[in-house]
Amino acid sequence: MSLIFAISILGLLFAFYLMRDVLRRDTGTAAMREISDAIRQGAEAFLRRQNRTIAYLATALAALIYILYAFVRAHNDNDPASPGDLALWTTLSFILGAACSVAAGYMGMWVAIRSNIRTASAAMKDMNSALQTALRGGAVSGFFVVAMSLLGVAGLFGLIRSLGVVGAANDGKIPLLIVGYGFGASFVALFAQLGGGIFTKAADVGADLVGKVEAGIPEDDPRNPAVIADLVGDNVGDCAGRGADLFESTAAENIGAMILAAGLYRSNGAVFQQQNLTLLGVLLFPLVARAFGIIASIVGIMSVSVQGEEDPMSALNRGYYVTSALAMVGFYIASRWLLGPEFYFNFFVCGVIGVLTSIGFVFITQYYTEYTYRPVKSIAEASQTGPATNIIAGVAVGMESTGFPILTISIAIVSSYLLGSHSGLVNAGLFGTAVATMGMLGPCAFILAMDTFGPITDNAGGIVEMSQQPQSIREKTDRLDSVGNTTKALTKGYAVGSAGLAAFLLFGAYLDEVKNYMPSFSGTINLNKPEVFVGAMLGAVLVFLFSSLAIKAVGKAAYAIINNVREQFRNNPGIMLGTSKPNYGECVDIATKAALGKMVAPGLLVVGMTVGVGLAFRALYHAMGQPPDGATGAEVVGGFLMVGTITGILMALFLNNGGGAWDNAKKYIETGAYGGKRSDPHKAAVVGDTVGDPFKDTAGPSLHVLIKLLSTITLVMAPLFL
């Protein structure tokens, strides 16, 4: 426990060191500061309003959880605590998880909107200064997210243990009391990602279609009324939204791994005692392994620098490989120490498989989204015959891109399961997959730094162009922006990959939890039962309905922004002549209202449908007299969770990679291919890019959260479905 707290605090201190290092850097000219201030004010205003909306929803849900546990649900002899304590700690952990998720997202954005101008100013000096400014600004979010996640889970665990809520001999039941922490984090992350995604893509689509296609002006031209809203959106979607997303990933998977660790110890208690291995050590193994990942990421961040004309992506990859290698070393130390010299090796290899899986996902995503490879080039080639063929090619690439990632996840799950099963411990297969998931999340802080690097460099390029800096400076920021687009795409692939591995981990944790509350449960979800099959179909259709609502929200918001931009051009001819300024605030306000209004329905659909399915089929099971061949609400929800997760992973891969490929097909043409900028192929590619925008930055990333939210909801609500 002391080691986990010490390394987590080290991670926070390092985040504050990076923040201080970035904030003391030069802020450029007065014209640059004016634009940066407008972005900062818009982002902070949006996030305040969004967090207020989320707070109302989270408070209402917390009250519902307490009422259901304390007054509606009957006591079960296998409960980890009394009804009052179970209700109290589940609700408190939910509130704490929600609060920490909000804080993690806000912190990442707070630094990012102050790093953009410093990156723009550093680009006036040299490439290395600009690269390090953007990466270190992004790393603040990464370390804050990972450290806060570990502190939250370990702190709740330690507090409940010290208060003796479950009794000295029942540490293995503590994770069942803190599952609400992951649920709270997931709940906030879904709305943060949805709201930010709707805002950023509505502004982006409006800016592109009217600015680039109709008016024929550059992307970040100060004459475009939607340009500030577009730059604000990069922060509220890619910084705040992704920060909350990866926070809930780490929190939920830590708790799920602890539940499986408790089950492992129950099955092998005598063997562990012979090896002088304690229940506490086995329970905390996932947290210790993740803590070593913080140290690995610190070294990786500090190792990044670019020499002369070196490609900045090469420097970032080098840092990522250093982080990954050190994360493997950390897994070796943690597994040998806490799982014993006789059993550790197979689990160490499981951790290595997880790290290698993350690297595999990075390369696969790179292949399908970078314009140096066949898939993106095929979309650019199809643009020569218009938007229709561009869109057809993009959809095909998105569908094709699901193959290799699923194969990679499958290999990782099967190999880690077999390694766990052959470790010498009983029922250790699922725990092997949990360790692989922990391995994939080992370099998480560095990955999130690369993700936030993207919007920082995008904003820096916008500030340089809008303040009319020399072309040589814009070329540097364009180069960094291109790298940032790649890192954003790679981290989306990483997020889906970790969600895929985590889905199996959390599904196993759900089955373990149901077994704990209902020992008669076989641990098998039988799709041959009609109720379970129906539940599975409902899980699949949830993904489609959710994606539809998210994409439709972007379309409606973009419609309003497009009309506003056209109206400003029509009513104020001085905008295009450069003699008067557009009203940037109108577009920011339109995007804000649309995002806050449209994010609620998809989020409530996920929570309401999951809980509704469980309670409805529980009532049906009891109304039928609990027949032996019937299905409990918990079993139906198991089918709902399993098929909904699989469908969500496939849909997220399709949306993320298809959208990323459309984006980079446009950028490939902008390098001069097929006539370059303002050519007919370019206009077709811009249309394809705008179709892909809500795919890759709204619906796709939100599905990462949905996949894990389904698991955390079911972990929290499982006792109510029996």
Side-chain angles (χ1 to χ4, degrees), residues 272 277-278 281-282 284-286 288-289 333-340:
F272 279 129
L277 299 172
T278 65
V282 175
L284 296 180
F285 164 71
V288 172
I333 296 169
S335 56
R336 187 175 176 85
W337 173 29
L338 297 173
L339 300 179

Side-chain angles (χ1 to χ4, degrees), residues 348-430:
F348 159 63
V349 177
C350 289
V352 171
I353 287 171
V355 176
L356 294 178
T357 300
S358 72
I359 295 173
F361 260 85
V362 165
F363 281 119
I364 291 168
T365 308
Q366 203 166 352
Y367 174 73
Y368 280 106
T369 58
E370 276 198 5
Y371 60 64
T372 51
Y373 300 104
R374 174 195 59 81
V376 172
K377 285 184 176 179
S378 70
I379 300 173
E381 182 182 5
S383 303
Q384 295 177 94
T385 49
T389 46
N390 170 284
I391 292 169
I392 291 169
V395 169
V397 166
M399 290 181 171
E400 177 193 331
S401 72
T402 61
F404 285 122
I406 292 299
L407 181 62
T408 304
I409 293 174
S410 302
I411 292 170
I413 289 175
V414 171
S415 58
S416 59
Y417 188 91
L418 291 175
L419 281 166
S421 298
H422 292 85
S423 63
L425 296 174
V426 179
N427 298 328
L430 271 177

Side-chain angles (χ1 to χ4, degrees), residues 258-510:
M258 292 174 75
I259 292 173
L260 294 180
L264 181 72
Y265 194 90
R266 282 196 303 271
S267 300
N268 300 274
V271 176
F272 279 129
Q273 288 168 14
Q274 289 172 6
Q275 299 285 326
N276 294 318
L277 299 172
T278 65
L279 170 60
L280 183 63
V282 175
L283 277 176
L284 296 180
F285 164 71
L287 303 188
V288 172
R290 293 294 318 290
F292 284 131
I294 291 179
I295 297 175
S297 296
I298 289 174
V299 177
I301 290 293
M302 296 306 292
S303 70
V304 173
S305 64
V306 63
Q307 305 296 327
E309 294 301 312
E310 182 187 13
D311 182 5
M313 194 68 219
S314 300
L316 292 175
N317 282 336
R318 195 161 52 241
Y320 176 53
Y321 297 145
V322 168
T323 302
S324 298
L326 292 176
M328 293 182 196
V329 174
F331 258 89
Y332 179 84
I333 296 169
S335 56
R336 187 175 176 85
W337 173 29
L338 297 173
L339 300 179
E342 186 176 338
F343 307 112
Y344 82 94
F345 187 75
N346 281 30
F347 295 109
F348 159 63
V349 177
C350 289
V352 171
I353 287 171
V355 176
L356 294 178
T357 300
S358 72
I359 295 173
F361 260 85
V362 165
F363 281 119
I364 291 168
T365 308
Q366 203 166 352
Y367 174 73
Y368 280 106
T369 58
E370 276 198 5
Y371 60 64
T372 51
Y373 300 104
R374 174 195 59 81
V376 172
K377 285 184 176 179
S378 70
I379 300 173
E381 182 182 5
S383 303
Q384 295 177 94
T385 49
T389 46
N390 170 284
I391 292 169
I392 291 169
V395 169
V397 166
M399 290 181 171
E400 177 193 331
S401 72
T402 61
F404 285 122
I406 292 299
L407 181 62
T408 304
I409 293 174
S410 302
I411 292 170
I413 289 175
V414 171
S415 58
S416 59
Y417 188 91
L418 291 175
L419 281 166
S421 298
H422 292 85
S423 63
L425 296 174
V426 179
N427 298 328
L430 271 177
F431 188 70
T433 65
V435 176
T437 306
M438 293 296 104
M440 192 163 188
L441 289 171
C444 180
F446 191 94
I447 289 286
L448 187 52
M450 292 208 318
D451 183 73
T452 311
F453 172 90
I456 290 173
T457 54
D458 191 340
N459 272 205
I463 290 169
V464 165
E465 179 159 323
M466 291 187 71
S467 61
Q468 299 178 333
Q469 299 302 313
Q471 182 61 29
S472 60
I473 308 301
R474 179 64 186 183
E475 287 173 1
K476 289 180 186 176
T477 55
D478 278 349
R479 193 173 170 193
L480 287 174
D481 185 24
S482 175
V483 171
N485 283 327
T486 300
T487 60
K488 284 192 291 185
L490 299 184
T491 49
K492 288 188 182 79
Y494 170 85
V496 178
S498 67
L501 276 182
F504 193 70
L505 177 166
L506 293 170
F507 184 68
Y510 172 75

Side-chain angles (χ1 to χ4, degrees), residues 126-173:
D126 58 66
M127 180 63 78
N128 187 53
S129 297
L131 172 72
Q132 290 190 339
T133 302
L135 182 65
R136 292 183 179 191
V140 173
S141 175
F143 285 99
F144 199 83
V145 162
V146 176
M148 282 287 292
S149 171
L150 282 174
L151 278 176
V153 174
L156 273 172
F157 182 93
L159 180 61
I160 292 173
R161 188 169 183 263
S162 64
L163 293 175
V165 176
V166 298
N170 293 313
D171 285 349
K173 292 191 174 183

Side-chain angles (χ1 to χ4, degrees), residues 509-519 521 632 634-635 718 722:
Y510 172 75
L511 296 181
D512 265 23
E513 183 182 12
V514 174
K515 281 183 191 177
N516 176 80
Y517 286 108
M518 191 172 68
F521 177 60
T632 65
E635 189 176 349
L722 300 174

Side-chain angles (χ1 to χ4, degrees), residues 99-109 141 144-146 148 239-240 243-244 247:
C100 289
S101 187
V102 168
Y106 184 82
M107 193 63 170
M109 191 208 70
S141 175
F144 199 83
V145 162
V146 176
M148 282 287 292
C239 297
F247 177 85

